[in-house]
Amino acid sequence: MTFDRAIKIAPSILAADFANFGAECAAAEAQGADWIHVDVMDGHFVPNITFGPATCAAIRPHIKGVMDVHLMISPVDAYIDAFAQAGADVLTAHIEAGPHIHRTLQAIRAAGCKAGVALNPGTPASAVEDLMDMVDLVCVMTVNPGFGGQKFIDMTAKIKALRSMIGDRPVHIEIDGGVDPATAPLVAQAGADVLVAGSAVFKGGSVQNPAPYGDNIRAIRAAAEGVWT
């Protein structure tokens, strides 16, 4: 992964066809997705259960680019190696998921992955101020994690604060939750560069009819990039 601040669209497979993940990932990439975002939920840290390392390993051969794995699980550390071995490029852990986030981030990098830290809506930017040299990505949750299709929570002040903290470090700001062409400009203008979108990408299309995925990705990208033109 080479670092750049260009807008990246990362479709969340939480909104894809669960019976056809490999083809869904390939279709999304073919239609312009930059990263593929995998939401891992444990039914403990968040009120939903999705998938684990075996699913990541199964879809990895179908993903040409970045597999961005978001761990909404607690505890985290015991599972880092399994997700790294399953092919994750980025592993993101929640600061709220355990008492020793610094150790967790060290373990993620030691496993050969880029290290991300995620913040729930109720967690301030200041919580990660001392971690900026430990991370490659900060994920700002713009919904309460656990389910797709939720209404966007405005976190632009937090994004701006993080952008200021990051300075010239090669750290991405990722937005997860309620991203669509209406909300993308808000977060891009505040300083975000990786936009996770689930239903806003996969709505209206399918593996047999993937063209709507491309239309949706282009609409989100154009809306986000429009704030810079």
Side-chain angles (χ1 to χ4, degrees):
M1 287 175 60
T2 56
F3 181 83
D4 67 76
R5 294 199 191 282
I7 292 293
K8 286 162 282 294
I9 310 300
S12 167
I13 63 169
L14 191 63
D17 177 0
F18 276 36
N20 215 2
F21 271 152
E24 288 276 50
C25 292
E29 282 193 325
Q31 290 295 324
D34 301 289
W35 295 8
I36 298 294
H37 188 82
V38 185
D39 287 305
V40 176
M41 306 182 189
D42 63 356
H44 167 70
F45 180 67
V46 292
N48 195 7
I49 297 173
T50 55
F51 20 75
T55 301
C56 290
I59 64 174
R60 177 72 259 192
H62 302 271
I63 299 171
K64 295 177 181 175
V66 172
M67 184 162 76
D68 175 32
V69 180
H70 180 187
L71 300 177
M72 287 169 271
I73 65 176
S74 179
V76 179
D77 294 11
Y79 301 96
I80 289 169
D81 285 345
F83 281 102
Q85 290 166 13
D89 295 295
V90 182
L91 270 181
T92 297
H94 272 259
I95 193 166
E96 307 90 357
H100 305 297
I101 187 65
H102 193 281
R103 179 183 296 157
T104 299
L105 295 169
Q106 283 180 314
I108 291 171
R109 282 186 165 177
C113 298
K114 298 291 187 182
V117 62
L119 300 172
N120 283 334
T123 302
S126 59
V128 297
E129 190 163 8
D130 293 333
L131 300 173
M132 286 300 157
D133 292 320
M134 293 290 305
V135 298
D136 303 288
L137 176 148
V138 180
C139 176
V140 177
M141 296 301 299
T142 42
V143 298
N144 288 295
F147 297 95
Q150 297 186 68
K151 184 175 170 57
F152 176 83
I153 301 170
D154 188 351
M155 290 282 136
T156 49
K158 185 188 294 187
I159 298 164
K160 289 176 182 177
L162 289 166
R163 190 70 201 82
S164 179
M165 284 179 204
I166 288 167
D168 60 0
R169 296 178 180 90
V171 177
H172 297 290
I173 298 179
E174 177 176 78
I175 307 302
D176 189 353
V179 172
D180 60 25
T183 57
L186 303 175
V187 297
Q189 189 167 34
D193 62 291
V194 182
L195 308 185
V196 176
S199 49
V201 166
F202 287 103
K203 67 180 180 183
S206 66
V207 167
Q208 292 75 29
N209 177 33
Y213 298 169
D215 294 339
N216 295 336
I217 289 168
R218 284 188 291 274
I220 297 168
R221 193 188 308 278
E225 291 178 343
V227 303
W228 294 337
T229 59

